[in-house]
mmCIF file with all atom_site columns, all heavy atoms in Angstrom:
data_model
loop_
_atom_site.group_PDB
_atom_site.id
_atom_site.type_symbol
_atom_site.label_atom_id
_atom_site.label_alt_id
_atom_site.label_comp_id
_atom_site.label_asym_id
_atom_site.label_entity_id
_atom_site.label_seq_id
_atom_site.pdbx_PDB_ins_code
_atom_site.Cartn_x
_atom_site.Cartn_y
_atom_site.Cartn_z
_atom_site.occupancy
_atom_site.B_iso_or_equiv
_atom_site.pdbx_formal_charge
_atom_site.auth_seq_id
_atom_site.auth_comp_id
_atom_site.auth_asym_id
_atom_site.auth_atom_id
_atom_site.pdbx_PDB_model_num
ATOM 1  N N   . THR B 1 124 ? 36.875 -70.930  64.570 1.00 98.00 ? 124 THR B N   1
ATOM 2  C CA  . THR B 1 124 ? 36.619 -70.147  63.359 1.00 98.00 ? 124 THR B CA  1
ATOM 3  C C   . THR B 1 124 ? 37.752 -69.148  63.161 1.00 98.00 ? 124 THR B C   1
ATOM 4  O O   . THR B 1 124 ? 38.187 -68.497  64.114 1.00 98.00 ? 124 THR B O   1
ATOM 5  C CB  . THR B 1 124 ? 35.280 -69.397  63.498 1.00 98.00 ? 124 THR B CB  1
ATOM 6  O OG1 . THR B 1 124 ? 34.240 -70.381  63.642 1.00 98.00 ? 124 THR B OG1 1
ATOM 7  C CG2 . THR B 1 124 ? 34.978 -68.563  62.271 1.00 98.00 ? 124 THR B CG2 1
ATOM 8  N N   . ALA B 1 221 ? 36.885 -94.308  29.053 1.00 98.00 ? 221 ALA B N   1
ATOM 9  C CA  . ALA B 1 221 ? 35.644 -93.680  28.564 1.00 98.00 ? 221 ALA B CA  1
ATOM 10 C C   . ALA B 1 221 ? 35.923 -92.709  27.417 1.00 98.00 ? 221 ALA B C   1
ATOM 11 O O   . ALA B 1 221 ? 35.012 -92.326  26.677 1.00 98.00 ? 221 ALA B O   1
ATOM 12 C CB  . ALA B 1 221 ? 34.947 -92.938  29.709 1.00 98.00 ? 221 ALA B CB  1
ATOM 13 N N   . ASP B 1 273 ? 39.649 -109.094 38.691 1.00 98.00 ? 273 ASP B N   1
ATOM 14 C CA  . ASP B 1 273 ? 40.091 -109.560 40.009 1.00 98.00 ? 273 ASP B CA  1
ATOM 15 C C   . ASP B 1 273 ? 40.438 -108.405 40.941 1.00 98.00 ? 273 ASP B C   1
ATOM 16 O O   . ASP B 1 273 ? 40.083 -108.410 42.111 1.00 98.00 ? 273 ASP B O   1
ATOM 17 C CB  . ASP B 1 273 ? 41.316 -110.471 39.841 1.00 98.00 ? 273 ASP B CB  1
ATOM 18 C CG  . ASP B 1 273 ? 40.956 -111.722 39.086 1.00 98.00 ? 273 ASP B CG  1
ATOM 19 O OD1 . ASP B 1 273 ? 40.513 -112.696 39.729 1.00 98.00 ? 273 ASP B OD1 1
ATOM 20 O OD2 . ASP B 1 273 ? 41.057 -111.732 37.847 1.00 98.00 ? 273 ASP B OD2 1
ATOM 21 N N   . SER B 1 321 ? 41.070 -77.990  41.118 1.00 98.00 ? 321 SER B N   1
ATOM 22 C CA  . SER B 1 321 ? 39.676 -77.561  41.295 1.00 98.00 ? 321 SER B CA  1
ATOM 23 C C   . SER B 1 321 ? 39.186 -76.582  40.231 1.00 98.00 ? 321 SER B C   1
ATOM 24 O O   . SER B 1 321 ? 37.986 -76.365  40.106 1.00 98.00 ? 321 SER B O   1
ATOM 25 C CB  . SER B 1 321 ? 39.494 -76.882  42.670 1.00 98.00 ? 321 SER B CB  1
ATOM 26 O OG  . SER B 1 321 ? 39.304 -77.848  43.670 1.00 98.00 ? 321 SER B OG  1
ATOM 27 N N   . PRO B 1 403 ? 61.099 -93.498  25.490 1.00 98.00 ? 403 PRO B N   1
ATOM 28 C CA  . PRO B 1 403 ? 61.479 -93.622  26.904 1.00 98.00 ? 403 PRO B CA  1
ATOM 29 C C   . PRO B 1 403 ? 62.996 -93.654  27.070 1.00 98.00 ? 403 PRO B C   1
ATOM 30 O O   . PRO B 1 403 ? 63.692 -94.195  26.209 1.00 98.00 ? 403 PRO B O   1
ATOM 31 C CB  . PRO B 1 403 ? 60.892 -94.985  27.320 1.00 98.00 ? 403 PRO B CB  1
ATOM 32 C CG  . PRO B 1 403 ? 60.021 -95.430  26.205 1.00 98.00 ? 403 PRO B CG  1
ATOM 33 C CD  . PRO B 1 403 ? 60.445 -94.703  24.971 1.00 98.00 ? 403 PRO B CD  1
#
Side-chain angles (χ1 to χ4, degrees):
Chain B
T124 298
D273 295 273
S321 277

